[in-house]
């Protein structure tokens, strides 16, 4: 329920050069946001503060973030019946030390990791499984391509209070009703979603556009993950538009999925 102020960026003092502080930008100024709204509008400032800490808000820190990545199996292979599945990556102090010639971990690394950037990599399948875990209240499923087979929970059940799951699901629903996923606010199904925009390269000229979510909202049956790779950062059409086109097609041709 706590609200955190988004003014469009946060500024961190530079101990080596006070005249050049580090600035971490939000994509816009969102004002005061609680967790539901932060999920709905994708407030970077909110998650910087929760993940790394800022002002009066203590941050979780990279070790706890890594713990939750592992808890939700975000970097693990799902063991689906396909060749070539790869593991994901969560940046950590050890990862940075190995990749960047013994460089130390800094607060800014936590900030950009907590919003899914820096060295963070997960597969679309793992993203869909992550969303299904949120939708079903803690069962990490093992996906299968075998027709008629039912996904079975792996040996992991994540135990959070029902109210905690509810907050996240409601935030994702609000993303559809008025937030960054509003393109999915259709009359024929109530969906819950979250967008993601991962900047590519030092010039930030390209982005990976993500849409993840589940439906129907009240009684979830299906989860999705769509990623459009390396589109121009100026492009106004992203993964949400692809999901919307799919939804529109399904409403006409396969409406039974929305029941």
């Amino acid at each position: 329920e706590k609200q955190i102020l988004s003014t469009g960026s946060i500024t961190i003092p530079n101990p080596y050069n006070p005249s050049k502080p580090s600035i971490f930008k939000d994509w816009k100024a969102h004002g005061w946001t609680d967790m539901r709204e932060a999920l709905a509008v994708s407030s970077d400032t909110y998650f910087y503060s929760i993940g790394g800490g800022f002002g009066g808000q203590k941050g979780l820190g990279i070790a706890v973030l890594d713990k939750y990545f592992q808890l939700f199996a975000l970097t693990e292979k799902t063991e689906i019946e396909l060749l070539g599945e790869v593991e994901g990556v969560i940046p950590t102090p050890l990862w940075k030390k190995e990749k960047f010639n013994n460089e130390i971990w800094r607060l800014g690394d936590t900030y950009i990791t907590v919003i899914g950037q820096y060295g963070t990599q997960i597969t679309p399948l793992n993203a869909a499984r992550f969303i299904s875990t949120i939708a079903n209240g803690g069962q990490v499923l093992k996906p299968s391509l075998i027709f008629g087979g039912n996904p079975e929970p792996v040996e992991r059940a994540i135990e959070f209070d029902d109210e905690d799951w509810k907050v996240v699901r409601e935030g994702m629903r609000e993303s559809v009703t008025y937030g960054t996923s509003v393109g999915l606010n259709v009359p024929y199904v109530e969906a819950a979603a979250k967008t993601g925009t991962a900047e590519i390269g030092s010039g930030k000229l390209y982005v990976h556009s993500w849409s993840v979510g589940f439906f129907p909202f009240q009684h979830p049956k299906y989860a999705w993950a769509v990623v459009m790779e390396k589109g121009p950062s100026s492009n106004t059409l992203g993964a949400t538009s692809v999901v919307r086109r799919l939804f529109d097609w399904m409403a006409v041709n396969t409406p039974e999925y929305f029941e």
Side-chain angles (χ1 to χ4, degrees), residues 88-147:
V89 175
I90 169 66
T92 62
L94 179 60
W95 171 88
K96 185 179 181 182
K97 184 177 181 180
E98 293 175 346
K99 295 291 184 181
F100 294 96
N101 194 26
N102 290 320
E103 276 282 324
I104 65 170
W105 187 266
R106 293 180 170 83
L107 176 60
D109 300 327
T110 302
Y111 283 152
I112 54 179
T113 297
V114 79
I115 61 169
Q117 301 202 47
Y118 198 26
T120 308
Q121 292 184 318
I122 64 172
T123 66
L125 182 58
N126 260 331
R129 179 164 73 166
F130 175 38
I131 297 303
S132 74
T133 304
I134 293 171
N136 69 36
Q139 293 293 318
V140 181
L141 303 178
K142 182 177 179 179
S144 175
L145 293 173
I146 299 174
F147 181 75

Side-chain angles (χ1 to χ4, degrees), residues 41 48 70-71 74 109 114 135 154 172 185 192 196 222 226 229 235:
V41 302
Y48 292 151
Q70 307 312 323
L71 192 64
L74 280 167
D109 300 327
V114 79
V154 299
M172 294 178 66
N185 195 15
Y222 305 101
V226 171
E229 293 185 299
N235 186 17

Side-chain angles (χ1 to χ4, degrees), residues 3 8 15 42 91 130 152 157 160 175 186 199 205 225 228 247 249:
Q3 293 187 327
S42 290
F130 175 38
E152 297 181 358
F160 293 152
S175 177
V186 293
E199 296 168 328
L205 299 178
M228 295 177 67
F247 276 11
W249 184 91

Side-chain angles (χ1 to χ4, degrees), residues 117 197-209 228-234:
Q117 301 202 47
T197 306
E199 296 168 328
I200 308 301
S202 58
K204 301 180 180 178
L205 299 178
Y206 299 96
V207 298
H208 293 337
S209 175
M228 295 177 67
E229 293 185 299
K230 203 174 181 181
S233 58
S234 59

